[in-house]
Amino acid sequence: MMTFQQKNNTEISETSKFQFAVIGAGAMATAIVKGLLNKNIYKASEIIFLSRSQEKLEKQNKELGIAITTSYDELKKQVADDAFLLLGVKPQVMPIALEGLIGIKDSNKIISVAAGIKISTIEKKFPENKIFRVMPNTPAQISKAASAVSYNAKSSKESIAKVKEIFSAIGICVGVNEKDLDAVTALSGSGPAYVFLMTEAMTNAGIKLGLSKEVAETLARQTVYGAASLMIESGESAQVLRKKVTSPNGTTQAGIENFQANNFEEIV
């Protein structure tokens, strides 16, 4: 039997009941757990990781003091009746994870962050459970994520509010219909990569204009950071802020007109 372990390899007693279980120990799952601990939504003693990678598990155990296991059977014995189970595995591993969780209580609540896996797919295995599908993004690693959540008909107001609280620990969380999650994936899920691409292009443009790589990169990063912060803190729309910085017949206007002539908005 696989024993559960906490920090310093101290075994957890058989009477322990975990309130939050994480299947998978990758970057997103780890970011979510760190957010929960930082916001005191759950204590380390209330969380357990399950993964096939003993190396990743040992890292979580050492760094976070989280209980670990490689056994689905032992996990199912130890989670509380009303525990949340976070499916933090890649989409191609989801069938294995769902099969492993067969036998959980109907009162256990399931959260999936796997892109493209519909609630109905999970419901086929767990028709009586409350099921949530969430699309966070990579800024979760610094608690600046944009997450969107949808849920099945079994979910209660209390459980929906709790899931939003969980994902608010790593940024912001909004509720959407499941049919809109593809749009969320395109906008905020993939969006950071597009911002990084634009920042990369701005940096390279600065270098071509004669700036050093260090100066160009520093200015590009701070420009993106400052513009994003201004949008959030001012409360004004991107359109209003754009117009404020665009002087008539100035260099900024010339740049924007060049973007528009090259179908910038259509490309995005």
PDB file of all heavy atoms in Angstrom, residues 177-208:
ATOM      1  N   ASN A 177     -21.049  30.288 -20.185  1.00  0.00           N
ATOM      2  CA  ASN A 177     -21.660  29.066 -20.678  1.00  0.00           C
ATOM      3  C   ASN A 177     -20.579  28.197 -21.313  1.00  0.00           C
ATOM      4  O   ASN A 177     -19.618  28.712 -21.898  1.00  0.00           O
ATOM      5  CB  ASN A 177     -22.742  29.379 -21.715  1.00  0.00           C
ATOM      6  CG  ASN A 177     -23.929  30.104 -21.117  1.00  0.00           C
ATOM      7  OD1 ASN A 177     -24.348  29.804 -19.997  1.00  0.00           O
ATOM      8  ND2 ASN A 177     -24.471  31.063 -21.843  1.00  0.00           N
ATOM      9  N   GLU A 178     -20.735  26.891 -21.219  1.00  0.00           N
ATOM     10  CA  GLU A 178     -19.689  26.018 -21.740  1.00  0.00           C
ATOM     11  C   GLU A 178     -19.434  26.241 -23.222  1.00  0.00           C
ATOM     12  O   GLU A 178     -18.289  26.140 -23.691  1.00  0.00           O
ATOM     13  CB  GLU A 178     -20.024  24.550 -21.491  1.00  0.00           C
ATOM     14  CG  GLU A 178     -18.864  23.641 -21.872  1.00  0.00           C
ATOM     15  CD  GLU A 178     -19.118  22.171 -21.603  1.00  0.00           C
ATOM     16  OE1 GLU A 178     -20.295  21.797 -21.440  1.00  0.00           O
ATOM     17  OE2 GLU A 178     -18.146  21.401 -21.562  1.00  0.00           O
ATOM     18  N   LYS A 179     -20.476  26.593 -23.989  1.00  0.00           N
ATOM     19  CA  LYS A 179     -20.299  26.815 -25.429  1.00  0.00           C
ATOM     20  C   LYS A 179     -19.347  27.970 -25.716  1.00  0.00           C
ATOM     21  O   LYS A 179     -18.793  28.074 -26.818  1.00  0.00           O
ATOM     22  CB  LYS A 179     -21.648  27.088 -26.087  1.00  0.00           C
ATOM     23  CG  LYS A 179     -22.325  28.375 -25.646  1.00  0.00           C
ATOM     24  CD  LYS A 179     -23.647  28.573 -26.339  1.00  0.00           C
ATOM     25  CE  LYS A 179     -24.332  29.864 -25.891  1.00  0.00           C
ATOM     26  NZ  LYS A 179     -23.563  31.067 -26.238  1.00  0.00           N
ATOM     27  N   ASP A 180     -19.125  28.834 -24.726  1.00  0.00           N
ATOM     28  CA  ASP A 180     -18.243  29.987 -24.915  1.00  0.00           C
ATOM     29  C   ASP A 180     -16.794  29.707 -24.522  1.00  0.00           C
ATOM     30  O   ASP A 180     -15.931  30.575 -24.685  1.00  0.00           O
ATOM     31  CB  ASP A 180     -18.762  31.175 -24.098  1.00  0.00           C
ATOM     32  CG  ASP A 180     -20.099  31.684 -24.600  1.00  0.00           C
ATOM     33  OD1 ASP A 180     -20.311  31.647 -25.831  1.00  0.00           O
ATOM     34  OD2 ASP A 180     -20.931  32.113 -23.779  1.00  0.00           O
ATOM     35  N   LEU A 181     -16.520  28.509 -24.017  1.00  0.00           N
ATOM     36  CA  LEU A 181     -15.159  28.220 -23.572  1.00  0.00           C
ATOM     37  C   LEU A 181     -14.147  28.133 -24.719  1.00  0.00           C
ATOM     38  O   LEU A 181     -12.962  28.381 -24.521  1.00  0.00           O
ATOM     39  CB  LEU A 181     -15.119  26.939 -22.741  1.00  0.00           C
ATOM     40  CG  LEU A 181     -15.565  27.098 -21.278  1.00  0.00           C
ATOM     41  CD1 LEU A 181     -15.518  25.751 -20.558  1.00  0.00           C
ATOM     42  CD2 LEU A 181     -14.709  28.116 -20.544  1.00  0.00           C
ATOM     43  N   ASP A 182     -14.610  27.800 -25.924  1.00  0.00           N
ATOM     44  CA  ASP A 182     -13.692  27.818 -27.066  1.00  0.00           C
ATOM     45  C   ASP A 182     -13.220  29.240 -27.336  1.00  0.00           C
ATOM     46  O   ASP A 182     -12.045  29.480 -27.641  1.00  0.00           O
ATOM     47  CB  ASP A 182     -14.362  27.239 -28.309  1.00  0.00           C
ATOM     48  CG  ASP A 182     -14.502  25.721 -28.247  1.00  0.00           C
ATOM     49  OD1 ASP A 182     -13.817  25.103 -27.405  1.00  0.00           O
ATOM     50  OD2 ASP A 182     -15.290  25.169 -29.029  1.00  0.00           O
ATOM     51  N   ALA A 183     -14.150  30.204 -27.215  1.00  0.00           N
ATOM     52  CA  ALA A 183     -13.781  31.607 -27.402  1.00  0.00           C
ATOM     53  C   ALA A 183     -12.846  32.066 -26.288  1.00  0.00           C
ATOM     54  O   ALA A 183     -11.901  32.827 -26.529  1.00  0.00           O
ATOM     55  CB  ALA A 183     -15.035  32.480 -27.433  1.00  0.00           C
ATOM     56  N   VAL A 184     -13.099  31.595 -25.072  1.00  0.00           N
ATOM     57  CA  VAL A 184     -12.221  31.924 -23.944  1.00  0.00           C
ATOM     58  C   VAL A 184     -10.820  31.384 -24.187  1.00  0.00           C
ATOM     59  O   VAL A 184      -9.820  32.062 -23.947  1.00  0.00           O
ATOM     60  CB  VAL A 184     -12.795  31.353 -22.629  1.00  0.00           C
ATOM     61  CG1 VAL A 184     -11.776  31.458 -21.493  1.00  0.00           C
ATOM     62  CG2 VAL A 184     -14.083  32.080 -22.252  1.00  0.00           C
ATOM     63  N   THR A 185     -10.753  30.153 -24.697  1.00  0.00           N
ATOM     64  CA  THR A 185      -9.451  29.551 -24.997  1.00  0.00           C
ATOM     65  C   THR A 185      -8.679  30.399 -26.003  1.00  0.00           C
ATOM     66  O   THR A 185      -7.484  30.636 -25.853  1.00  0.00           O
ATOM     67  CB  THR A 185      -9.629  28.125 -25.555  1.00  0.00           C
ATOM     68  OG1 THR A 185     -10.321  27.330 -24.578  1.00  0.00           O
ATOM     69  CG2 THR A 185      -8.301  27.473 -25.870  1.00  0.00           C
ATOM     70  N   ALA A 186      -9.383  30.871 -27.035  1.00  0.00           N
ATOM     71  CA  ALA A 186      -8.737  31.691 -28.063  1.00  0.00           C
ATOM     72  C   ALA A 186      -8.299  33.046 -27.503  1.00  0.00           C
ATOM     73  O   ALA A 186      -7.210  33.534 -27.826  1.00  0.00           O
ATOM     74  CB  ALA A 186      -9.694  31.904 -29.227  1.00  0.00           C
ATOM     75  N   LEU A 187      -9.138  33.642 -26.652  1.00  0.00           N
ATOM     76  CA  LEU A 187      -8.861  34.987 -26.150  1.00  0.00           C
ATOM     77  C   LEU A 187      -7.834  34.995 -25.020  1.00  0.00           C
ATOM     78  O   LEU A 187      -6.741  35.558 -25.156  1.00  0.00           O
ATOM     79  CB  LEU A 187     -10.166  35.640 -25.685  1.00  0.00           C
ATOM     80  CG  LEU A 187     -10.057  37.021 -25.033  1.00  0.00           C
ATOM     81  CD1 LEU A 187      -9.424  38.024 -25.983  1.00  0.00           C
ATOM     82  CD2 LEU A 187     -11.425  37.506 -24.584  1.00  0.00           C
ATOM     83  N   SER A 188      -8.167  34.376 -23.904  1.00  0.00           N
ATOM     84  CA  SER A 188      -7.276  34.451 -22.741  1.00  0.00           C
ATOM     85  C   SER A 188      -6.379  33.236 -22.584  1.00  0.00           C
ATOM     86  O   SER A 188      -5.293  33.337 -22.013  1.00  0.00           O
ATOM     87  CB  SER A 188      -8.097  34.653 -21.463  1.00  0.00           C
ATOM     88  OG  SER A 188      -9.056  33.616 -21.296  1.00  0.00           O
ATOM     89  N   GLY A 189      -6.813  32.082 -23.096  1.00  0.00           N
ATOM     90  CA  GLY A 189      -5.976  30.898 -22.999  1.00  0.00           C
ATOM     91  C   GLY A 189      -4.726  31.022 -23.852  1.00  0.00           C
ATOM     92  O   GLY A 189      -3.596  30.835 -23.380  1.00  0.00           O
ATOM     93  N   SER A 190      -4.909  31.356 -25.115  1.00  0.00           N
ATOM     94  CA  SER A 190      -3.782  31.531 -26.031  1.00  0.00           C
ATOM     95  C   SER A 190      -3.256  32.959 -26.023  1.00  0.00           C
ATOM     96  O   SER A 190      -2.126  33.206 -26.480  1.00  0.00           O
ATOM     97  CB  SER A 190      -4.206  31.167 -27.460  1.00  0.00           C
ATOM     98  OG  SER A 190      -4.633  29.827 -27.539  1.00  0.00           O
ATOM     99  N   GLY A 191      -4.052  33.898 -25.528  1.00  0.00           N
ATOM    100  CA  GLY A 191      -3.715  35.312 -25.570  1.00  0.00           C
ATOM    101  C   GLY A 191      -2.325  35.695 -25.072  1.00  0.00           C
ATOM    102  O   GLY A 191      -1.646  36.512 -25.703  1.00  0.00           O
ATOM    103  N   PRO A 192      -1.860  35.132 -23.936  1.00  0.00           N
ATOM    104  CA  PRO A 192      -0.516  35.496 -23.480  1.00  0.00           C
ATOM    105  C   PRO A 192       0.563  35.277 -24.535  1.00  0.00           C
ATOM    106  O   PRO A 192       1.488  36.081 -24.654  1.00  0.00           O
ATOM    107  CB  PRO A 192      -0.303  34.579 -22.260  1.00  0.00           C
ATOM    108  CG  PRO A 192      -1.681  34.389 -21.719  1.00  0.00           C
ATOM    109  CD  PRO A 192      -2.561  34.284 -22.936  1.00  0.00           C
ATOM    110  N   ALA A 193       0.439  34.217 -25.324  1.00  0.00           N
ATOM    111  CA  ALA A 193       1.442  33.950 -26.362  1.00  0.00           C
ATOM    112  C   ALA A 193       1.455  35.058 -27.404  1.00  0.00           C
ATOM    113  O   ALA A 193       2.516  35.432 -27.920  1.00  0.00           O
ATOM    114  CB  ALA A 193       1.172  32.604 -27.029  1.00  0.00           C
ATOM    115  N   TYR A 194       0.267  35.603 -27.703  1.00  0.00           N
ATOM    116  CA  TYR A 194       0.201  36.675 -28.698  1.00  0.00           C
ATOM    117  C   TYR A 194       0.810  37.958 -28.146  1.00  0.00           C
ATOM    118  O   TYR A 194       1.468  38.704 -28.876  1.00  0.00           O
ATOM    119  CB  TYR A 194      -1.248  36.913 -29.116  1.00  0.00           C
ATOM    120  CG  TYR A 194      -1.977  35.653 -29.545  1.00  0.00           C
ATOM    121  CD1 TYR A 194      -3.336  35.489 -29.294  1.00  0.00           C
ATOM    122  CD2 TYR A 194      -1.293  34.606 -30.178  1.00  0.00           C
ATOM    123  CE1 TYR A 194      -3.998  34.335 -29.673  1.00  0.00           C
ATOM    124  CE2 TYR A 194      -1.953  33.443 -30.559  1.00  0.00           C
ATOM    125  CZ  TYR A 194      -3.306  33.317 -30.305  1.00  0.00           C
ATOM    126  OH  TYR A 194      -3.957  32.172 -30.669  1.00  0.00           O
ATOM    127  N   VAL A 195       0.595  38.218 -26.862  1.00  0.00           N
ATOM    128  CA  VAL A 195       1.211  39.380 -26.222  1.00  0.00           C
ATOM    129  C   VAL A 195       2.730  39.222 -26.209  1.00  0.00           C
ATOM    130  O   VAL A 195       3.476  40.178 -26.475  1.00  0.00           O
ATOM    131  CB  VAL A 195       0.666  39.575 -24.797  1.00  0.00           C
ATOM    132  CG1 VAL A 195       1.404  40.709 -24.094  1.00  0.00           C
ATOM    133  CG2 VAL A 195      -0.841  39.871 -24.834  1.00  0.00           C
ATOM    134  N   PHE A 196       3.196  38.010 -25.919  1.00  0.00           N
ATOM    135  CA  PHE A 196       4.634  37.752 -25.925  1.00  0.00           C
ATOM    136  C   PHE A 196       5.213  37.944 -27.329  1.00  0.00           C
ATOM    137  O   PHE A 196       6.310  38.489 -27.494  1.00  0.00           O
ATOM    138  CB  PHE A 196       4.938  36.333 -25.430  1.00  0.00           C
ATOM    139  CG  PHE A 196       4.464  36.048 -24.029  1.00  0.00           C
ATOM    140  CD1 PHE A 196       4.069  34.765 -23.658  1.00  0.00           C
ATOM    141  CD2 PHE A 196       4.401  37.051 -23.077  1.00  0.00           C
ATOM    142  CE1 PHE A 196       3.631  34.498 -22.368  1.00  0.00           C
ATOM    143  CE2 PHE A 196       3.969  36.796 -21.781  1.00  0.00           C
ATOM    144  CZ  PHE A 196       3.579  35.519 -21.438  1.00  0.00           C
ATOM    145  N   LEU A 197       4.472  37.490 -28.355  1.00  0.00           N
ATOM    146  CA  LEU A 197       4.926  37.649 -29.737  1.00  0.00           C
ATOM    147  C   LEU A 197       5.048  39.126 -30.104  1.00  0.00           C
ATOM    148  O   LEU A 197       6.033  39.542 -30.728  1.00  0.00           O
ATOM    149  CB  LEU A 197       3.963  36.940 -30.692  1.00  0.00           C
ATOM    150  CG  LEU A 197       4.284  37.053 -32.182  1.00  0.00           C
ATOM    151  CD1 LEU A 197       5.628  36.405 -32.500  1.00  0.00           C
ATOM    152  CD2 LEU A 197       3.174  36.427 -33.019  1.00  0.00           C
ATOM    153  N   MET A 198       4.040  39.920 -29.708  1.00  0.00           N
ATOM    154  CA  MET A 198       4.082  41.353 -30.006  1.00  0.00           C
ATOM    155  C   MET A 198       5.247  42.015 -29.266  1.00  0.00           C
ATOM    156  O   MET A 198       5.957  42.860 -29.830  1.00  0.00           O
ATOM    157  CB  MET A 198       2.772  42.018 -29.618  1.00  0.00           C
ATOM    158  CG  MET A 198       2.732  43.503 -29.933  1.00  0.00           C
ATOM    159  SD  MET A 198       1.102  44.228 -29.667  1.00  0.00           S
ATOM    160  CE  MET A 198       1.450  45.948 -30.048  1.00  0.00           C
ATOM    161  N   THR A 199       5.458  41.615 -28.014  1.00  0.00           N
ATOM    162  CA  THR A 199       6.571  42.170 -27.239  1.00  0.00           C
ATOM    163  C   THR A 199       7.904  41.804 -27.871  1.00  0.00           C
ATOM    164  O   THR A 199       8.832  42.622 -27.938  1.00  0.00           O
ATOM    165  CB  THR A 199       6.518  41.657 -25.788  1.00  0.00           C
ATOM    166  OG1 THR A 199       5.224  41.923 -25.241  1.00  0.00           O
ATOM    167  CG2 THR A 199       7.567  42.337 -24.918  1.00  0.00           C
ATOM    168  N   GLU A 200       7.995  40.581 -28.353  1.00  0.00           N
ATOM    169  CA  GLU A 200       9.205  40.132 -29.049  1.00  0.00           C
ATOM    170  C   GLU A 200       9.447  40.975 -30.304  1.00  0.00           C
ATOM    171  O   GLU A 200      10.586  41.390 -30.585  1.00  0.00           O
ATOM    172  CB  GLU A 200       9.043  38.654 -29.424  1.00  0.00           C
ATOM    173  CG  GLU A 200      10.241  38.034 -30.103  1.00  0.00           C
ATOM    174  CD  GLU A 200       9.984  36.579 -30.499  1.00  0.00           C
ATOM    175  OE1 GLU A 200       8.906  36.049 -30.170  1.00  0.00           O
ATOM    176  OE2 GLU A 200      10.864  35.989 -31.144  1.00  0.00           O
ATOM    177  N   ALA A 201       8.360  41.235 -31.064  1.00  0.00           N
ATOM    178  CA  ALA A 201       8.479  42.036 -32.278  1.00  0.00           C
ATOM    179  C   ALA A 201       8.877  43.476 -31.960  1.00  0.00           C
ATOM    180  O   ALA A 201       9.690  44.084 -32.668  1.00  0.00           O
ATOM    181  CB  ALA A 201       7.161  42.018 -33.047  1.00  0.00           C
ATOM    182  N   MET A 202       8.306  44.026 -30.875  1.00  0.00           N
ATOM    183  CA  MET A 202       8.664  45.384 -30.459  1.00  0.00           C
ATOM    184  C   MET A 202      10.144  45.459 -30.073  1.00  0.00           C
ATOM    185  O   MET A 202      10.848  46.413 -30.417  1.00  0.00           O
ATOM    186  CB  MET A 202       7.782  45.816 -29.284  1.00  0.00           C
ATOM    187  CG  MET A 202       6.317  46.042 -29.656  1.00  0.00           C
ATOM    188  SD  MET A 202       5.235  46.202 -28.205  1.00  0.00           S
ATOM    189  CE  MET A 202       5.870  47.708 -27.452  1.00  0.00           C
ATOM    190  N   THR A 203      10.592  44.445 -29.359  1.00  0.00           N
ATOM    191  CA  THR A 203      12.007  44.396 -28.958  1.00  0.00           C
ATOM    192  C   THR A 203      12.912  44.363 -30.185  1.00  0.00           C
ATOM    193  O   THR A 203      13.891  45.123 -30.279  1.00  0.00           O
ATOM    194  CB  THR A 203      12.270  43.153 -28.085  1.00  0.00           C
ATOM    195  OG1 THR A 203      11.449  43.217 -26.914  1.00  0.00           O
ATOM    196  CG2 THR A 203      13.727  43.069 -27.677  1.00  0.00           C
ATOM    197  N   ASN A 204      12.582  43.480 -31.138  1.00  0.00           N
ATOM    198  CA  ASN A 204      13.405  43.355 -32.340  1.00  0.00           C
ATOM    199  C   ASN A 204      13.394  44.638 -33.166  1.00  0.00           C
ATOM    200  O   ASN A 204      14.407  45.021 -33.764  1.00  0.00           O
ATOM    201  CB  ASN A 204      12.927  42.173 -33.185  1.00  0.00           C
ATOM    202  CG  ASN A 204      13.226  40.838 -32.528  1.00  0.00           C
ATOM    203  OD1 ASN A 204      14.157  40.724 -31.727  1.00  0.00           O
ATOM    204  ND2 ASN A 204      12.439  39.824 -32.845  1.00  0.00           N
ATOM    205  N   ALA A 205      12.237  45.313 -33.183  1.00  0.00           N
ATOM    206  CA  ALA A 205      12.155  46.580 -33.905  1.00  0.00           C
ATOM    207  C   ALA A 205      13.063  47.623 -33.257  1.00  0.00           C
ATOM    208  O   ALA A 205      13.747  48.390 -33.953  1.00  0.00           O
ATOM    209  CB  ALA A 205      10.713  47.071 -33.914  1.00  0.00           C
ATOM    210  N   GLY A 206      13.082  47.651 -31.928  1.00  0.00           N
ATOM    211  CA  GLY A 206      13.957  48.577 -31.217  1.00  0.00           C
ATOM    212  C   GLY A 206      15.421  48.324 -31.520  1.00  0.00           C
ATOM    213  O   GLY A 206      16.213  49.259 -31.704  1.00  0.00           O
ATOM    214  N   ILE A 207      15.779  47.054 -31.606  1.00  0.00           N
ATOM    215  CA  ILE A 207      17.167  46.682 -31.917  1.00  0.00           C
ATOM    216  C   ILE A 207      17.528  47.143 -33.334  1.00  0.00           C
ATOM    217  O   ILE A 207      18.616  47.689 -33.571  1.00  0.00           O
ATOM    218  CB  ILE A 207      17.360  45.161 -31.768  1.00  0.00           C
ATOM    219  CG1 ILE A 207      17.213  44.754 -30.292  1.00  0.00           C
ATOM    220  CG2 ILE A 207      18.724  44.731 -32.302  1.00  0.00           C
ATOM    221  CD1 ILE A 207      17.161  43.257 -30.062  1.00  0.00           C
ATOM    222  N   LYS A 208      16.601  46.941 -34.279  1.00  0.00           N
ATOM    223  CA  LYS A 208      16.852  47.355 -35.664  1.00  0.00           C
ATOM    224  C   LYS A 208      17.014  48.873 -35.774  1.00  0.00           C
ATOM    225  O   LYS A 208      17.707  49.365 -36.666  1.00  0.00           O
ATOM    226  CB  LYS A 208      15.714  46.880 -36.558  1.00  0.00           C
ATOM    227  CG  LYS A 208      15.718  45.384 -36.818  1.00  0.00           C
ATOM    228  CD  LYS A 208      14.569  44.969 -37.714  1.00  0.00           C
ATOM    229  CE  LYS A 208      14.580  43.466 -37.957  1.00  0.00           C
ATOM    230  NZ  LYS A 208      13.443  43.039 -38.827  1.00  0.00           N
TER     231      LYS A 208
END
